Amino acid sequence: MKQLLYSVLALLFTPALVASEMPLNMTKGVTDISGQVYSLHMIILYICCAIGIVVFGVMIYAMINHRKSKGAVAANFHESTKVEILWTVVPFIILIGMAIPATKTLIAMEDPSNADLTIKVTGSQWKWHYSYFDKDISFFSLLSTPRDQIEGNATKGENYLLEVDKPLVLPINRKVRFLMTSEDVIHSWWVPAFAVKKDANPGFINEAWTKIDKPGIYRGQCAELCGKDHGFMPIVVEALSEEDFDAWLIAQQQEASNAEAAAQAALSQTLTMEELMSQGEQVYMARCAACHQPNGAGLPGVFPSLIGSPMIKGAVSGHIDIVVNGKPGTAMQAFSQQLTATEIAAVVTFERNAWGNDSGEMVQAADINANGNAATDDAADSSANDTGTPTTLPATLDDTQSLENEAVAATAAAVVLDDLTMDELMAMGEKVYMTSCVACHQATGAGLPPAFPSLVGSPVIKGPVTDHLEIVINGKPGTAMQAFAQQLTPQEIAAVITYERNAWGNNSGDAVQATDVDGHAK
């Protein structure tokens, strides 16, 4: 009998003793928080095992030694005060024993203060965008698993659906704060090795943090059902030593400078149809195929077909505009910040000539740069209407250079410094605010204290307009407030400042004009 009891106890207690070695058990991870979460998990597991041992031990003992065949007679008692107290106090003590370590861990998980690095993580269908505050580094991270593997035409790789083109790079031994938000639907940024899992909600900012103990590659994925390609939103984090991370920052800044120079040089280059189609296909399969499908047929009712569609048959300028600026109210995103002018030119060329469209049109990088010039677009549309055939865009170096010069002139002309009425400023300011500011300061201006201060009657609003201009134009070092000098025009900055100083009951009566912004910037 004793041997049987010992065997049962060993069977119940063994899983807890060897849990850390089990492949299906929670892992310790590579951060202090993940270690705390693992320890909490094991404490709860041991408590559950102990409860199981006691409960099942008593049950088994009672069934063996107090069975009817041995002549046992059941006791008959009712309303025992001692039993009532016992089964109330004991569970209460057990729950308190669980709550103390759990509370300590939760408090530690929710404390992103004193971070060494802040990164904004933005989810969108279906990719992640990372922005390093105060580092001028920003990039998109997309699934890099080959389409052949996804479609079952090739052997699946070791990291199938858990590999990206550009991983998030973080330093070890430094506290990193994450600000999570979304451009469309709810996503969830989850890396098990860090014990970080936080929802990214549109219009809101959630905070999380991590401090990695050792270098390596760590993988995760979106943990919130976010649409048809939810399973294609992997997260890859490359943790580097502090020295290597600092070197990476310098390399990225140099790479950004080189990319900008290359983008400018590309405006004077003319690619052949073969080159455009080859590059365009690569861009399309990486960025567009998820919605419009590899064959261009789309998903009717959700994502339109590109085969002989009105956009393909229409003016090139309209096609360029929707790729560059997106289409509000739909899932079509703006790719102006995601692709270079050359890549946009290539993918537009590919879409207009693939799947039997065969328009014969070639779009060059200079055309993308010049698309903002309404006169150029009108001339192109007029040419198409007069001839009755699609416009053939310039392919010679001289014509391309001419378009580049026109684009430069158009950019200069776009800097409007005209005075606007208060109504015009408020209308424009609201649009700018809802696009560029609402994610942090909220639609009501209430912010998310202490991470993002309220704008309702705040010191910035009540203070001098020049201080307000300074913080919007140049940002505020050491905080999440970015510099908008390169992101907004003087008129947009003037409008959004006017809006903030007069919305939500602020009613300062201040009307800021583009000339005020231009003068302050100089």
Side-chain angles (χ1 to χ4, degrees), residues 82-94:
K82 292 182 180 180
V83 173
E84 294 282 353
I85 293 174
L86 189 65
W87 70 30
T88 301
V89 173
V90 171
F92 178 78
I93 294 174
I94 293 173

Side-chain angles (χ1 to χ4, degrees), residues 19-255:
S20 62
E21 305 300 326
M22 288 183 174
L24 298 180
N25 188 41
M26 177 181 285
T27 58
K28 290 184 178 180
V30 293
T31 67
D32 179 63
I33 287 296
S34 65
Q36 291 184 45
V37 171
Y38 175 80
S39 298
L40 176 64
H41 162 74
M42 296 307 298
I43 289 172
I44 302 303
L45 176 62
Y46 289 138
I47 292 174
C48 291
C49 287
I51 293 172
I53 289 170
V54 172
V55 172
F56 285 103
V58 171
M59 287 175 58
I60 293 170
Y61 177 82
M63 287 187 292
I64 293 174
N65 293 285
H66 297 278
R67 61 188 187 275
K68 184 177 180 180
S69 61
K70 293 188 67 174
V73 178
N76 186 10
F77 60 89
H78 184 61
E79 294 182 357
S80 171
T81 303
K82 292 182 180 180
V83 173
E84 294 282 353
I85 293 174
L86 189 65
W87 70 30
T88 301
V89 173
V90 171
F92 178 78
I93 294 174
I94 293 173
L95 288 175
I96 292 297
M98 292 179 173
I100 291 174
T103 302
K104 289 181 179 179
T105 301
L106 286 173
I107 290 173
M109 291 176 69
E110 298 299 326
D111 180 22
S113 61
N114 301 318
D116 300 304
L117 177 66
T118 299
I119 296 175
K120 182 181 177 183
V121 180
T122 305
S124 61
Q125 296 174 310
W126 288 271
K127 53 184 169 283
W128 298 100
H129 182 236
Y130 302 112
S131 299
Y132 292 68
F133 283 3
D134 300 325
K135 305 296 182 185
D136 292 328
I137 295 175
S138 177
F139 58 85
F140 287 86
S141 181
L142 290 85
L143 174 74
S144 63
T145 297
R147 178 63 57 175
D148 287 346
Q149 292 185 21
I150 296 174
E151 295 174 349
N153 298 324
T155 303
K156 291 176 171 54
E158 179 183 358
N159 297 309
Y160 177 68
L161 297 184
L162 290 175
E163 50 201 339
V164 298
D165 56 352
K166 293 195 70 173
L168 174 64
V169 179
L170 299 178
I172 64 171
N173 301 325
R174 293 182 187 173
K175 188 171 184 178
V176 180
R177 179 177 65 149
F178 300 110
L179 302 177
M180 313 282 191
T181 189
S182 170
E183 290 184 344
D184 35 51
V185 299
I186 300 176
H187 301 278
S188 186
W189 199 84
W190 177 45
V191 179
F194 302 164
V196 174
K197 180 179 180 291
K198 187 70 68 171
D199 281 354
N201 299 314
F204 292 90
I205 296 287
N206 281 331
E207 290 185 279
W209 70 275
T210 192
K211 189 175 183 180
I212 308 169
D213 295 335
K214 59 182 180 179
I217 302 292
Y218 306 104
R219 303 178 189 276
Q221 54 195 327
C222 178
E224 184 71 38
L225 187 60
C226 58
K228 63 176 286 290
D229 276 6
H230 159 67
F232 301 90
M233 278 187 73
I235 300 160
V236 179
V237 179
E238 182 178 0
L240 302 177
S241 66
E242 295 178 85
E243 296 77 11
D244 289 343
F245 178 76
D246 291 337
W248 178 83
L249 286 178
I250 296 173
Q252 288 299 300
Q253 290 165 353
Q254 182 60 48
E255 183 179 321

